[in-house]
Amino acid sequence: MKQTLQPGLLQHKKLDELNNMDPFDFQEEGCKCTVTITHIPQDNNWWYIGCEKCKKKTTDDSTPFICSKCGWKRLRTRYKLSFAAADDTAKANFFCNDEMARMIVRRNCQTLLNSLRKNTDFPPEL
Ligand SMILES: [Zn+2]
């Protein structure tokens, strides 16, 4: 029988519990943890250019681009957002991938980059 995920029923954990947990003890379906983002490093590392298909990061800006891993020909900018966050029990450093960052920021990475004068600027939206 196929199990369905019911996000509302995920176990809620406090940050200090997660910090002290053995990674092998994490339940497969994950758990929920409510935190407040306290700090985002304002460096130029919040985005990268990668293969649209396999997400492999590339520094190859030759055109036409061909992904060395999967052979895909299109690039896309993606988030690789790291931040510090805390709840009332602890602080921790987080990293979120492009999908997760888009849910948090509610804009895609390219939209934010387009709004900057230089792509080395740090977007105020973040
Ligand atoms: Zn690829």
Side-chain angles (χ1 to χ4, degrees):
M1 198 176 87
K2 205 174 160 232
Q3 273 194 319
T4 41
L5 263 186
Q6 294 179 286
L9 295 177
L10 286 182
Q11 200 179 358
H12 197 276
K13 296 225 180 272
K14 287 289 186 184
L15 208 46
D16 65 343
E17 293 179 85
L18 290 178
N19 279 344
N20 294 323
M21 243 166 110
D22 185 325
F24 291 107
D25 289 341
F26 279 110
Q27 298 146 290
E28 218 175 291
E29 72 270 23
C31 60
K32 212 161 96 175
C33 182
T34 308
V35 295
T36 307
I37 295 178
T38 52
H39 176 72
I40 299 177
Q42 306 218 344
D43 53 23
N44 194 30
N45 291 321
W46 60 275
W47 65 282
Y48 73 98
I49 296 174
C51 170
E52 185 190 73
K53 195 176 181 186
C54 74
K55 304 175 188 177
K56 183 184 157 65
K57 185 182 178 175
T58 181
T59 46
D60 176 10
D61 55 3
S62 61
T63 41
F65 164 79
I66 295 173
C67 176
S68 60
K69 190 176 167 192
C70 73
W72 198 250
K73 290 180 182 156
R74 275 199 301 273
L75 288 168
R76 224 188 76 190
T77 51
R78 295 177 182 279
Y79 290 108
K80 50 164 183 137
L81 201 56
S82 48
F83 54 88
D87 67 3
D88 51 4
T89 61
K91 283 184 196 164
N93 289 312
F94 288 83
F95 172 80
C96 61
N97 61 16
D98 187 63
E99 286 76 14
M100 194 60 80
R102 265 184 287 151
M103 274 166 44
I104 299 173
V105 185
R106 298 202 185 100
R107 267 164 235 247
N108 74 38
C109 188
Q110 192 61 53
T111 311
L112 274 195
L113 279 172
N114 290 346
S115 72
L116 301 175
R117 272 177 301 142
K118 306 191 295 278
N119 66 11
T120 50
D121 285 349
F122 193 80
E125 287 91 341
L126 287 186

